[in-house]
Amino acid sequence: MQEISEERFIDIPEEVIDIYSLWRPTPLIRAQRLEKLLGTPARIYYKYEGTSPAGSHKPNTAIPQAWYNASEGIKKVVTETGAGQWGCSLAFACSLFGLDCEVWQVRTSYDQKPYRKLMMQTWGAKVHPSPSSLTDAGRRILQEDPSTPGSLGIAISEAVEVAATHADTKYCLGSVLNHVLLHQTVIGEECLKQLGKLDETPDIIIGCTGGGSNFAGLTFPFIREKLKNRLNPIIKAVESAACPSLTKGIYAYDFGDTAGMTPLMKMHTLGHDFIPDPIHAGGLRYHGMAPLVSHIYELGLIEAVAIPQTECFEAALQFARTEGVIPAPEPAHAIAATIREALHCKETGEAKVILMALCGHGHFDLASYEKFLEGSMKDLSYTDETREKVKVSLAKIPQIAS
Amino acid sequence: MQEISEERFIDIPEEVIDIYSLWRPTPLIRAQRLEKLLGTPARIYYKYEGTSPAGSHKPNTAIPQAWYNASEGIKKVVTETGAGQWGCSLAFACSLFGLDCEVWQVRTSYDQKPYRKLMMQTWGAKVHPSPSSLTDAGRRILQEDPSTPGSLGIAISEAVEVAATHADTKYCLGSVLNHVLLHQTVIGEECLKQLGKLDETPDIIIGCTGGGSNFAGLTFPFIREKLKNRLNPIIKAVESAACPSLTKGIYAYDFGDTAGMTPLMKMHTLGHDFIPDPIHAGGLRYHGMAPLVSHIYELGLIEAVAIPQTECFEAALQFARTEGVIPAPEPAHAIAATIREALHCKETGEAKVILMALCGHGHFDLASYEKFLEGSMKDLSYTDETREKVKVSLAKIPQIAS
């Protein structure tokens, strides 16, 4: 019901607020040492979501999703995960409400990043490498290629199949959908109050975008204020140059998963069969953008920019060495865009207020930092050639007039 | 000067408070879900230090140590680290004050736990596996045994040698010493205020003890209140059953390092040449206890208990699945003792208030959780036979009457 609700506000259940209070409100911090390093007159603030037990903003939606399921008598939820941020958050949430949790994790991540898997298991979840022999979808793919590395699309198919064939089991998703973005707006609502106490008004708000939930979480409440003419910030989405759904994608109906099992969604898409290059920001490797974020981009309420990963890691290093927090590769994109804006302010002499979403820490991404420090990280970019292929792929999908 | 100061209070420098504000005050949280799981009438509170960028209480002393060094014109600090918590904290602190930082990390940890090393490098520190060929001490040991796994004692020798032979370089230590314990008391001072706001009075205060700095940080301000008859909590130090310096050690003068290079300190010791079993709580594998903690134990102001590691991991799992945070193996010892007290309250029906030090998260200790979940973790205990050997080893050291 939340997915299609027309209500402007939906109360957060008491039990969810109670769990949130373990780490919320999250800190809003002025990056004074970064400002000094850059020599900018800008004032930079970051809203840090990495203090949650799972280390990112994802528990903001995992907790209500688990609670709603538990309170309606569901015994088990299933999901897929890539690098593991979302799987960890759902495992954590389920442990608090006594729900069974089963996660299909893309096999390459399952094998290469054992810590995220161990975190899920510590919270009591069952984790399967995907494809697995537990589902028809998994068995079919294993028969074709027993050594397949797996993909998010395959993992979704397996989790959805299990939910579809078990009455007491539901499927959960960690981004893209309307109700997920709704749950994340707790970030922006808190931030409005925190900035108010500091008597600060943001001129620019910056967040990274994969599926769109972190970005929407911080910015949607500010967009409400903007539409009411109470604030007038420039709002900027930052995506990976290797997976630029907003800046290079096509606005069209497309599937949410690779296999084409989900309902069609109108969104900026690189094509549901597009496989992004293996960049280090796993959370930004999604072919589509949340329909709500896509919609406001079309309305001109937000801007978007795509940044290659080496600039992001350079920015992340500057941030870690001045502000302390080692950021995940995803918010490193927001940091890179923030530094661009701050250096622009240095040129113009403007003392703008920049607000940035720092959606998680990089404790489990240190191997990526190693690659960058060694100098062996490469930039991977989306090409126009690929874009032509998307058009062909989308031409097969029935488009509905908006 | 802080090491031998007779002042009751020493102000925290403005610049240090400024850095602390990135994550301080740390949260004081009531463990309501754990209470419910245990069915105890006790009220359990935990003071959580894992929200610091390095993930533990260690930056509380790394920041002032780096600041005092930087403000006196020192260009470089050196230290040793085992599993890496202390090395990470000092690397983080040095990055903020533009100090060079060089860390000698015990070779087994350097090879087996690459993430902590990568964290230090991300903050700009140089990390060497110890023994290294960069020092006389290291070269001598490598010549004897080129494949040695290294030890904390050897790593200390290397760092101290570098500091002793370079005028602009100082050596830093992360626990045991008086000034380190002093810096950590920010934890307890904050906690006194936080409990005051909640109108709660602790009946029992529990912290784990390795070198003693986390334990002292939380409890020393409460001991002041106890001595002034304003509070009367039972204060309990929890150590590893494999390294029980308080409960099984001898109170005598001993060296702080294995090689016998430091000044002698009067402390509870298992002998400076004692090598503890390879338990998973690396931070509790120290042969001696801080002289100040040893002193108040002798005065009867605190109690001590030693707990084997499997009980601690069982407790950590209960904690993670109710409160969310996955604890490091060291504070898992405090959690195990807290659960014992809470279950005792269940028997007696007493609604005691238990305050516990949760000094860090376990993000880099998940391999230990894996061992526990697989059922392959063993308890390792100190024996009376070992104790007899300590007496022989200590007999060689000149003892000074107190």
Side-chain angles (χ1 to χ4, degrees):
Chain A
M1 293 309 293
Q2 287 183 359
E3 190 63 17
I4 52 166
S5 170
E6 293 185 350
E7 296 297 319
R8 188 156 290 276
F9 292 96
I10 294 175
D11 284 343
I12 305 174
E14 204 58 53
E15 295 84 347
V16 172
I17 289 179
D18 190 44
I19 308 283
Y20 279 173
S21 74
L22 289 174
W23 72 93
R24 305 211 70 89
T26 57
L28 176 74
I29 300 171
R30 180 155 168 209
Q32 282 180 293
R33 273 158 292 274
L34 179 64
E35 292 167 15
K36 201 173 156 191
L37 176 78
L38 300 173
T40 179
R43 296 197 293 286
I44 302 170
Y45 290 89
Y46 58 97
K47 177 76 170 159
Y48 182 41
E49 292 292 307
T51 55
S52 78
S56 79
H57 64 296
K58 294 280 185 189
N60 295 336
T61 184
I63 299 292
Q65 288 194 46
W67 182 80
Y68 283 115
N69 274 293
S71 63
E72 293 188 8
I74 300 300
K75 299 287 174 232
K76 185 161 99 176
V77 296
V78 289
T79 197
E80 77 292 330
T81 198
Q85 272 284 10
W86 167 241
C88 282
S89 299
L90 194 63
F92 156 56
C94 287
S95 77
L96 301 179
F97 297 114
L99 272 175
D100 287 340
C101 180
E102 227 167 312
V103 183
W104 273 261
Q105 184 175 23
V106 176
R107 183 180 287 273
T108 42
S109 297
Y110 182 93
D111 290 337
Q112 289 168 12
K113 298 192 173 181
Y115 272 29
R116 281 278 173 203
K117 168 187 68 191
L118 288 169
M119 252 184 141
M120 292 185 254
Q121 290 169 337
T122 298
W123 278 313
K126 271 191 200 159
V127 190
H128 310 289
S130 168
S132 73
S133 58
L134 299 164
T135 65
D136 283 346
R139 282 188 292 268
R140 206 160 44 232
I141 288 157
L142 281 175
Q143 206 164 23
E144 283 169 23
D145 178 6
S147 65
T148 175
S151 77
L152 211 48
I154 297 167
I156 294 178
S157 304
E158 292 198 82
V160 168
E161 181 186 319
V162 170
T165 52
H166 295 80
D168 62 350
T169 300
K170 295 283 180 196
Y171 171 75
C172 289
L173 195 69
S175 188
V176 179
L177 301 179
N178 301 343
H179 69 279
V180 179
L181 273 52
L182 168 78
H183 298 159
Q184 292 293 354
T185 56
V186 65
I187 304 172
E189 296 293 355
E190 265 178 25
C191 199
L192 272 168
K193 285 189 191 169
Q194 289 168 317
L195 282 172
K197 273 188 195 165
L198 297 169
D199 213 11
E200 285 282 31
T201 308
D203 298 301
I204 308 169
I205 306 178
I206 295 171
C208 68
T209 41
S213 77
N214 152 65
F215 175 78
L218 178 64
T219 64
F220 278 15
F222 286 89
I223 291 174
R224 176 191 67 224
E225 297 301 303
K226 189 172 176 164
L227 291 172
K228 291 193 172 182
N229 292 317
R230 292 196 286 230
L231 291 175
N232 193 26
I234 290 170
I235 296 174
K236 198 166 272 190
V238 191
E239 51 191 14
S240 163
C243 197
S245 58
L246 278 174
T247 53
K248 297 267 178 92
I250 292 167
Y251 191 45
Y253 279 92
D254 197 5
F255 294 109
D257 69 320
T258 311
M261 291 172 71
T262 71
L264 289 168
M265 290 180 287
K266 181 109 184 226
M267 59 183 178
H268 287 82
T269 177
L270 300 169
H272 63 277
D273 50 359
F274 171 68
I275 296 171
D277 284 322
I279 51 163
H280 292 268
L284 305 187
R285 291 181 71 237
Y286 184 66
H287 69 275
M289 182 51 59
L292 286 174
V293 175
S294 296
H295 178 63
I296 58 169
Y297 184 57
E298 284 299 306
L299 293 178
L301 288 170
I302 61 169
E303 301 176 4
V305 60
I307 302 186
Q309 66 181 354
T310 56
E311 181 180 339
C312 300
F313 273 87
E314 181 60 47
L317 221 59
Q318 287 186 306
F319 189 85
R321 291 178 182 180
T322 49
E323 297 300 315
V325 171
I326 297 177
E330 292 82 1
H333 288 69
I335 297 171
T338 297
I339 289 178
R340 283 187 185 181
E341 296 289 345
L343 292 177
H344 183 71
C345 286
K346 188 181 181 177
E347 279 174 33
T348 62
E350 290 168 291
K352 285 187 180 171
V353 175
I354 307 173
L355 170 64
M356 177 184 92
L358 185 61
C359 59
H361 63 63
H363 294 174
F364 302 103
D365 304 289
L366 287 162
S368 305
Y369 278 88
E370 186 174 36
K371 280 233 159 56
F372 179 75
L373 289 166
E374 286 172 354
S376 65
M377 184 180 286
K378 286 198 176 63
D379 280 333
L380 302 162
S381 282
Y382 187 81
T383 62
D384 285 341
E385 204 175 300
T386 317
R387 193 160 197 263
E388 289 311 308
K389 282 188 205 153
V390 176
K391 286 185 186 164
V392 175
S393 138
L394 284 173
K396 296 172 200 159
I397 296 171
Q399 297 297 323
I400 306 151
S402 299
Chain B
M1 292 310 294
Q2 287 183 0
E3 190 64 16
I4 53 166
S5 171
E6 294 185 350
E7 297 297 319
R8 187 155 290 277
F9 292 96
I10 294 175
D11 283 343
I12 305 174
E14 204 58 52
E15 294 84 348
V16 172
I17 289 180
D18 188 44
I19 308 283
Y20 279 172
S21 73
L22 289 172
W23 73 92
R24 303 210 73 86
T26 58
L28 175 74
I29 300 171
R30 180 155 169 210
Q32 282 180 294
R33 273 159 293 274
L34 178 64
E35 291 168 14
K36 200 173 156 191
L37 176 78
L38 301 172
T40 179
R43 296 197 291 288
I44 302 170
Y45 290 89
Y46 58 97
K47 178 76 170 159
Y48 181 42
E49 292 292 307
T51 55
S52 79
S56 79
H57 65 294
K58 294 280 183 187
N60 296 335
T61 185
I63 299 292
Q65 288 195 46
W67 182 80
Y68 283 114
N69 274 293
S71 64
E72 293 189 6
I74 300 300
K75 299 287 174 231
K76 185 161 102 176
V77 296
V78 290
T79 197
E80 77 293 329
T81 198
Q85 271 285 9
W86 167 241
C88 281
S89 299
L90 193 63
F92 156 55
C94 288
S95 78
L96 300 179
F97 297 115
L99 272 175
D100 286 342
C101 180
E102 227 166 312
V103 183
W104 273 261
Q105 184 174 23
V106 176
R107 181 180 288 275
T108 43
S109 297
Y110 182 92
D111 290 337
Q112 288 168 14
K113 297 193 175 181
Y115 272 30
R116 281 276 173 204
K117 170 187 66 191
L118 288 170
M119 250 184 142
M120 292 184 255
Q121 290 170 336
T122 298
W123 278 313
K126 269 191 200 159
V127 191
H128 309 290
S130 168
S132 73
S133 58
L134 299 164
T135 64
D136 283 347
R139 281 188 293 268
R140 205 159 47 234
I141 288 156
L142 281 175
Q143 206 166 22
E144 284 168 21
D145 179 5
S147 64
T148 174
S151 77
L152 212 47
I154 298 167
I156 294 178
S157 304
E158 292 200 81
V160 167
E161 181 185 320
V162 170
T165 53
H166 295 80
D168 61 350
T169 300
K170 294 283 180 198
Y171 171 73
C172 289
L173 194 69
S175 190
V176 179
L177 301 179
N178 301 343
H179 69 278
V180 178
L181 274 51
L182 167 79
H183 298 159
Q184 293 293 354
T185 55
V186 64
I187 304 171
E189 296 293 355
E190 266 179 24
C191 199
L192 272 168
K193 285 189 192 170
Q194 289 169 318
L195 282 172
K197 273 188 196 165
L198 296 169
D199 214 11
E200 285 281 33
T201 308
D203 298 301
I204 308 169
I205 306 178
I206 295 171
C208 67
T209 41
S213 76
N214 152 65
F215 175 78
L218 177 64
T219 63
F220 278 14
F222 285 89
I223 290 173
R224 176 190 67 222
E225 298 301 303
K226 189 171 176 164
L227 291 172
K228 292 194 172 183
N229 292 316
R230 292 195 286 229
L231 291 175
N232 194 25
I234 290 170
I235 296 174
K236 198 166 271 191
V238 191
E239 50 190 16
S240 163
C243 196
S245 57
L246 279 175
T247 54
K248 297 269 178 89
I250 293 166
Y251 191 44
Y253 279 91
D254 197 4
F255 294 109
D257 67 321
T258 310
M261 291 173 71
T262 72
L264 289 168
M265 290 181 286
K266 181 108 184 228
M267 57 183 181
H268 287 82
T269 176
L270 300 169
H272 64 276
D273 51 359
F274 170 67
I275 297 172
D277 284 323
I279 52 163
H280 292 268
L284 305 188
R285 293 181 71 237
Y286 185 67
H287 69 276
M289 183 52 59
L292 285 175
V293 174
S294 296
H295 177 64
I296 57 169
Y297 184 57
E298 284 299 305
L299 293 179
L301 288 170
I302 62 170
E303 301 177 3
V305 61
I307 302 187
Q309 65 181 354
T310 55
E311 181 180 338
C312 300
F313 273 87
E314 181 60 46
L317 220 60
Q318 288 185 306
F319 189 85
R321 290 179 183 179
T322 49
E323 296 300 316
V325 172
I326 298 177
E330 291 82 1
H333 288 69
I335 297 171
T338 298
I339 289 177
R340 284 186 184 181
E341 296 290 346
L343 291 176
H344 183 71
C345 286
K346 189 180 179 176
E347 278 174 32
T348 62
E350 290 168 291
K352 286 187 180 172
V353 175
I354 307 173
L355 170 63
M356 176 184 94
L358 185 60
C359 60
H361 63 62
H363 294 177
F364 302 104
D365 304 289
L366 288 161
S368 304
Y369 278 88
E370 186 174 35
K371 281 232 159 56
F372 179 74
L373 290 165
E374 285 172 356
S376 65
M377 185 180 284
K378 287 197 176 64
D379 279 333
L380 302 163
S381 283
Y382 187 81
T383 63
D384 285 341
E385 204 175 300
T386 317
R387 195 161 195 264
E388 290 311 308
K389 283 188 205 154
V390 176
K391 285 185 187 164
V392 176
S393 137
L394 284 173
K396 296 173 202 159
I397 296 172
Q399 297 297 322
I400 307 152
S402 297

